[in-house]
Every structure is written in structure tokens, then in C-alpha cells.
Amino acid sequence: MPMTESGFRKYTYAEILEQQITRAKDLFGDDIDTSEQSVIGKYIRLNVSDFAQQEEALEALYQARYINTAVGISLDRLTPFAGIQRNAAVAAIWEVWFKNIGSDTVTIPMGTKLMSSNGVIYHTTQDVTVEAGKSSETIHMQCDTVGTIGNNPRNVRFYQTQIPNVQIGVNGFLAVVTGANRETDAELRKRWKSALNGSGSGTTNAIIGSVSRIDGVQDVVIYENETDTEIAVGTFSKIEPHSFLTVIKGAENLSAEIAKVIFENKPLGIQTNKSFVDSVTEQVTDIAGTTHEIHFAFAIDAPITVYVTISKANEPKFNKDAAQPLFEKALEAFFQDCKIGQTVYANALFAPLVQTGAVYCIDKIEVDFTNLAGGIASRKGARLDMVINEYAAFGGLEITYEE
């Protein structure tokens, strides 16, 4: 194995072939025929192919020891050194309610299938009885498919069993559990580094690192107010003087554990902000038995609709029906990497769409969403700013093919 002061250096096929030809000539004489057509030349190249594959395997084995180059199971085996593990795929869970507009009491059994307008299937997780003319308490519906696919339920209706005179509503944009795909190698490396950077206490990095170690947490952002006056954020919220706000994506079902971690790592004398409109409050007891209120917020998704305009003059052979699923898959992958508060630029979407191979020239891309957290209806445009507890999520695609 070619080890140097700089680490492992893989021999290439060409280098190994040159070595083997030189060795053959040393053994059999300089006039030996080692061309591709000769018997010994063919034999040498068969061996060189095997040696080159061995070099690839040795390089992969060497790289598996380091966080920046390890992949798959090798990367998983490094995560205990940062006190974390790879996040598994999680099914989205939302609150849903039923309104009975009929004259008879209706019972909706656990496991009733519901379908969103985008074709995603959910099921209720408990029985619910709805009296005539009344609405039910909110219950949970869970996506049948794990991953981010369940994070955007709209216009939910009954799927298999139809129950007449019952209307369905999804409780706002606040998920009980945010659906997530299996954590990728790149995401895991980033969280691994965040967890190590926050190995101390009483600092922003310490809080981010400690919260990042909680299973299911996908992103953490902290906003601080070091001044003596309140800072307005959004339309209805503020950050109090000498306080901080922690915003977390994912792990909505672990709010008590998150609060405990924040309390254990926050600076003395600095309070968690309680004036944010969507803040969560948990009670944490210290070793002396004193109870403390810890406030933080879960990030909410902002469904982004992407409008793509393509002209027949520039793309005469464009197939809209074939391009639709390819574009949707590319956009889902793009928005999966969006972080809390990250601005969405329409021009950043040109590359992933062109890389699908379904189109070469796109005339225009616009993005649109309704900023519910800020209370402001955003208009279609080239740029969308998220508020401090929002992250962009793929909400739909409309393709216009102009003659």
C-alpha cells in the first residue's frame, strides 16, 4: 500500500501497468512482446485490472477512518465519537379535526385512510366520535410513507371509506412531527461537526451542539438579543432584552428533552425568550428541585410553489408530461436542504431543473408562498424571504409551455 507523509496515495491503472511491463522485461528481456495482442500482454493486463480494483478497495478502507471521507456504514461507526447517530426516516404526523354537518352522530375508526390533494395517503391514529352539528377534538393523522413527502397536506379528504356529511380540516401549518428522509452522509457530517463544536456550555455553539445530538433534530438556529430593548421579529413576535430564542427543525415530539438540554447549556442569568408567538414552554427541574420555564420554538415549513415558463420557440421538443415528475423530484431534493430562515432565490432553481435533462432552456422561474408565520401574503416573484422560524419546503409545481 503506497503510504506517504501525506497519507495514502492510490496507484492508478496506468502506473500499475507500467510497473508490471517493466517487471516482465526485467525477467524475460527487453525484447519481450508486452503489447495488448500478445499472450503475456493480455495476462499482464488481467492482473493489472485486479490490482487496480484492490487499490480502490484499499483507498476506500483508508478513507473510512475519517469523518470527511467516510460513507455509509463506515460513517455511522464514527458518529458515537460525537454522541449522535444517523437520523432514520420519520413519518409526518399532523393534527386533524372532523366536522359533522349531518343529523346523526358519526364514529370515525382508528386507521381511517385520508388523502391529500397531492395524492399522499395518511391514516388516523385513534377513534373519534363526532356529534351532529359539532366538530371533533383534534386527533393525529400519520403519513403512510416515511419521509418529507407527508409534510404538505392540503385539501385532505377520505380515501377508501367515504363518510358522508363529514368535513375534514388540518390544524394549521404546525406539524406534530415533521416528516424527514433518512439523514444523508452530508447532513450527518454537518451535524457531527456541530455536535463536537458545542462540547462546552454557556455558549451559542454549546446549545446548538447539544440540541443537535437529540435524535430527530434536523437543524438548529439561535437568535440572541444582547441589547436593553426588545427586538421585533416578524409581525407579531419579539425577542426580549438579554434573552435568546432557539428554533428547532424536527423532533417535535421531544420538547421536554429539548428543554432540558437547553437549560443545562444556557448561560447563567440569561433567559429564554417567551414572547415569540409560536414558542413552546416546558418546565425543567434543577438538582435543587427548583422549577424553571424554558421557552423555544419549532420551525414550520413554508410550502413553496414553483412556476416554470418554457417557450416552444426555445424548446420545440419539450415534453411537459414527461418533465413534470422529473422536475418535481429535483425540486424536492433541492428544498430538502433548505435551512431555517434561508432565503429562496428563483434563479437557484435553474441548475437542478436543467440537470434533469428534460429541458435546456427555461425562460422564467418564479416562486410563491403565503407567509403565515409573519401574517403577510407574499406575491409571486424571484425571491422569497423566510421569517426566523420558517424553512422553505416544496409545495407544488406549475409548468407553462408557451406557443
Side-chain angles (χ1 to χ4, degrees):
M1 181 170 62
M3 293 294 297
T4 68
E5 292 182 354
S6 301
F8 178 85
R9 190 188 74 81
K10 178 184 67 178
Y11 282 133
T12 65
Y13 178 92
E15 290 173 330
I16 300 172
L17 178 60
E18 182 180 357
Q19 292 173 356
Q20 293 301 308
I21 289 175
T22 301
R23 186 179 182 187
K25 290 183 176 181
D26 289 341
L27 292 173
F28 303 110
D30 291 338
D31 58 348
I32 186 71
D33 184 4
T34 58
S35 67
E36 295 180 2
Q37 302 303 318
S38 67
V39 174
I40 194 168
K42 293 179 179 179
Y43 180 74
I44 287 174
R45 284 164 177 81
L46 285 173
N47 286 334
V48 168
S49 179
D50 291 339
F51 293 152
Q53 291 180 14
Q54 291 176 10
E55 289 290 307
E56 295 281 352
L58 289 171
E59 182 183 47
L61 183 63
Y62 176 80
Q63 302 288 17
R65 303 171 56 198
Y66 307 104
I67 189 67
N68 289 328
T69 52
V71 297
I73 189 64
S74 297
L75 181 58
D76 290 339
R77 289 169 177 163
L78 292 175
T79 56
F81 293 104
I84 64 173
Q85 62 183 9
R86 188 190 297 268
N87 286 333
V90 177
I93 301 177
W94 291 78
E95 288 187 341
V96 63
W97 51 265
F98 300 93
K99 183 177 181 180
N100 184 356
I101 60 175
S103 56
D104 299 319
T105 297
V106 175
T107 297
I108 302 169
M110 180 179 65
T112 298
K113 295 289 186 179
L114 309 174
M115 183 171 70
S116 179
S117 59
N118 58 357
V120 179
I121 308 299
Y122 301 79
H123 63 272
T124 58
T125 60
Q126 62 198 89
D127 296 330
V128 60
T129 299
V130 192
E131 297 181 10
K134 295 184 178 180
S135 296
S136 71
E137 297 292 331
T138 55
I139 64 171
H140 294 170
M141 67 172 189
Q142 180 173 327
C143 185
D144 284 10
T145 306
V146 297
T148 57
I149 189 173
N151 284 345
N152 189 28
R154 300 290 181 269
N155 301 319
V156 176
R157 62 185 186 273
F158 290 108
Y159 176 51
Q160 292 174 326
T161 302
Q162 301 302 313
I163 302 178
N165 300 321
V166 175
Q167 298 174 343
I168 305 172
V170 178
N171 193 25
F173 279 67
L174 296 176
V176 178
V177 175
T178 300
N181 297 329
R182 183 176 182 270
E183 194 169 26
T184 65
D185 285 353
E187 292 166 343
L188 183 54
R189 288 191 194 99
K190 183 175 181 180
R191 194 161 61 91
W192 193 94
K193 293 174 182 177
S194 295
L196 283 189
N197 289 339
S199 56
S201 63
T203 66
T204 297
N205 283 345
I207 298 172
I208 291 176
S210 298
V211 174
S212 294
R213 297 188 190 104
I214 298 174
D215 291 346
V217 171
Q218 303 165 40
D219 191 20
V220 185
V221 176
I222 291 181
Y223 301 94
E224 296 179 272
N225 180 5
E226 300 175 341
T227 70
D228 295 328
T229 57
E230 294 177 344
I231 297 177
V233 288
T235 305
F236 307 108
S237 300
K238 57 189 177 182
I239 300 180
E240 300 159 337
H242 305 290
S243 70
F244 67 94
L245 172 65
T246 307
V247 182
I248 300 153
K249 178 181 177 183
E252 288 88 351
N253 57 332
L254 298 175
S255 59
E257 183 177 347
I258 291 170
K260 183 175 183 293
V261 168
I262 293 174
F263 174 74
E264 290 173 346
N265 289 275
K266 79 178 188 69
L268 287 173
I270 304 300
Q271 300 302 311
T272 54
N273 182 74
K274 61 182 178 182
S275 298
F276 190 71
V277 66
D278 292 320
S279 65
V280 175
T281 301
E282 291 284 352
Q283 305 289 331
V284 178
T285 303
D286 62 23
I287 58 175
T290 305
T291 301
H292 305 263
E293 281 193 351
I294 298 296
H295 312 275
F296 60 95
F298 285 113
I300 60 176
D301 70 321
I304 305 296
T305 302
V306 180
Y307 297 85
V308 179
T309 302
I310 299 169
S311 66
K312 192 171 184 179
N314 292 328
E315 287 284 346
K317 297 182 179 180
F318 178 71
N319 187 327
K320 180 179 176 180
D321 292 336
Q324 183 85 21
L326 297 176
F327 283 4
E328 289 178 351
K329 185 176 180 180
L331 291 171
E332 286 173 359
F334 176 87
F335 283 107
Q336 184 181 342
D337 294 332
C338 287
K339 301 301 181 183
I340 299 170
Q342 180 180 333
T343 299
V344 177
Y345 296 93
N347 60 8
L349 303 178
F350 280 91
L353 295 184
V354 171
Q355 288 170 0
T356 64
V359 68
Y360 296 99
C361 181
I362 299 175
D363 291 75
K364 182 171 62 175
I365 299 179
E366 294 178 300
V367 287
D368 182 31
F369 83 106
T370 300
N371 185 343
L372 292 180
I376 303 172
S378 298
R379 294 185 297 176
K380 188 191 303 183
R383 165 180 171 163
L384 294 175
D385 294 318
M386 302 292 107
V387 297
I388 64 173
N389 69 323
E390 282 183 333
Y391 61 92
F394 178 58
L397 167 68
E398 291 189 20
I399 302 175
T400 301
Y401 189 36
E402 297 180 339
E403 294 289 338

